[in-house]
Amino acid sequence: MSTQQESASGASWNLVPLTPKYLPREHGGYVAAIEAALEDDQIRNIALSGNYGVGKSSILQEVARRQENRVVELSLSTLAPIEASKLDESVPIQATTPTNRIQQEIVKQLLYREDPSKTPGSRFRRIERFRWLREIGTALLLGFAVAVIYLLTGWTAQIAVVFGISNDFAVWAHLIVWAVAAGAALLVRWRFYGKLHIKQFSAGSATVTLDDNSVSYFDQYLDEIVYFFEVSDRDVVIFEDIDRFNDSHIFETLRALNTLLNASPSFG
């Protein structure tokens, strides 16, 4: 009995992952058909349907891999039903409809997907890691500007006199001012990075909310959506399992949004 237990505990488990796996022989034809449709300027909407487990996710993942620079993948798997008892009175009733809740999730994922440094015009301010090379370059520029101001106003010469620096070392005085100003700028930026916010200059809230006078999230954040696709150079969006919500109206709103995006001068 003990021998059998030891053998069972020491045996290795050959676990089979149930994640999507691309099989060229079975999925290649569908991938090729989708890629051919993407190259046709007349085709704006593509649907891939089939029973559960036939390989839809595998096909879409392969398309996304091949079209990596063009594709944005949006997942709606985290969208759960909302309970009326948990609603706040400040939440507009139209924000709780299935269509608007799907739109909210789509808008949220789009707005927070791109690197904040690539979307300086966005009204959404996101936390970004401190990039030393970029911050050092910015500090050097600020220090240089301060040094030039001190030079033009004569303040550097006054500082040199106070510290007893002779005219022969005046150039060093300018360099010292530059270095001190750059170091101070870098120190302040590092110490308060992500902690200082000027409320008066904020163009909008940091959360995706729906105003009372807005019909849908797509209408309210249309400028942000257009801006995202303009700066990201993406022109293909993959929605997976969007039909599981049994909400046909979302397809109408997505088609209307797609028409507006393609008609925008930014993509002409």
Side-chain angles (χ1 to χ4, degrees), residues 76-95:
L76 302 176
S77 59
T78 58
L79 189 60
I82 189 170
E83 298 181 15
S85 59
K86 296 183 179 180
L87 288 177
D88 191 278
E89 294 181 356
S90 61
V91 179
I93 189 63
Q94 69 270 24

Side-chain angles (χ1 to χ4, degrees), residues 43-263:
I43 297 178
R44 303 297 187 188
N45 303 278
I46 304 172
L48 181 63
S49 62
N51 295 330
Y52 178 80
V54 297
K56 298 188 299 296
S57 297
S58 303
I59 295 170
L60 292 177
Q61 283 192 5
E62 180 64 16
V63 172
R65 187 190 67 81
R66 296 186 182 187
Q67 306 286 335
E68 180 180 2
N69 297 327
R70 299 180 58 188
V71 169
V72 177
E73 294 183 87
L74 299 182
S75 174
L76 302 176
S77 59
T78 58
L79 189 60
I82 189 170
E83 298 181 15
S85 59
K86 296 183 179 180
L87 288 177
D88 191 278
E89 294 181 356
S90 61
V91 179
I93 189 63
Q94 69 270 24
T96 63
T97 63
T99 299
N100 271 334
R101 294 199 61 235
I102 297 173
Q103 288 188 10
Q104 180 190 32
E105 187 66 23
I106 292 173
V107 170
K108 183 173 64 177
Q109 292 191 34
L110 282 178
L111 298 186
Y112 287 90
R113 180 174 295 269
E114 195 60 63
D115 190 327
S117 62
K118 297 181 180 179
T119 56
S122 175
R123 77 184 91 169
F124 290 84
R125 294 291 175 261
R126 287 150 288 171
I127 298 176
E128 186 181 7
R129 76 175 187 270
F130 193 85
R131 302 176 185 272
W132 281 101
L133 290 179
R134 185 182 64 185
E135 296 299 334
I136 290 175
T138 302
L140 290 175
L141 289 176
L142 290 174
F144 180 76
V146 172
V148 170
I149 294 174
Y150 271 59
L151 173 63
L152 296 178
T153 57
W155 292 344
T156 305
Q158 297 178 14
I159 295 175
V161 171
V162 172
F163 287 94
I165 301 176
S166 62
N167 293 332
D168 296 336
F169 296 95
V171 176
W172 290 102
H174 298 305
L175 294 177
I176 292 174
V177 170
W178 184 5
V180 171
L186 182 62
L187 179 62
V188 171
R189 181 66 175 167
W190 172 77
R191 180 64 181 81
F192 297 101
Y193 188 79
K195 300 179 181 179
L196 290 180
H197 302 281
I198 303 177
K199 187 176 181 181
Q200 290 78 2
F201 289 167
S202 178
S205 61
T207 57
V208 180
T209 58
L210 189 65
D211 296 336
D212 290 326
N213 57 351
S214 297
V215 178
S216 69
Y217 287 96
F218 284 173
D219 291 339
Q220 182 169 333
Y221 296 100
L222 180 60
D223 57 337
E224 288 279 351
I225 298 173
V226 173
Y227 180 65
F228 167 82
F229 286 104
E230 182 180 359
V231 300
S232 66
D233 294 329
R234 311 277 175 144
D235 60 353
V236 177
V237 182
I238 293 180
F239 301 96
E240 190 171 354
D241 293 333
I242 197 172
D243 58 332
R244 70 183 178 90
F245 298 99
N246 295 322
D247 180 35
S248 59
H249 184 54
I250 187 61
F251 295 99
E252 298 176 9
T253 59
L254 283 173
R255 183 173 182 178
L257 176 63
N258 193 23
T259 301
L260 287 173
L261 288 173
N262 284 284

Side-chain angles (χ1 to χ4, degrees), residues 10-23:
S12 60
W13 290 64
N14 295 322
L15 300 179
V16 179
L18 299 180
T19 54
K21 181 179 181 180
Y22 174 68
L23 302 175

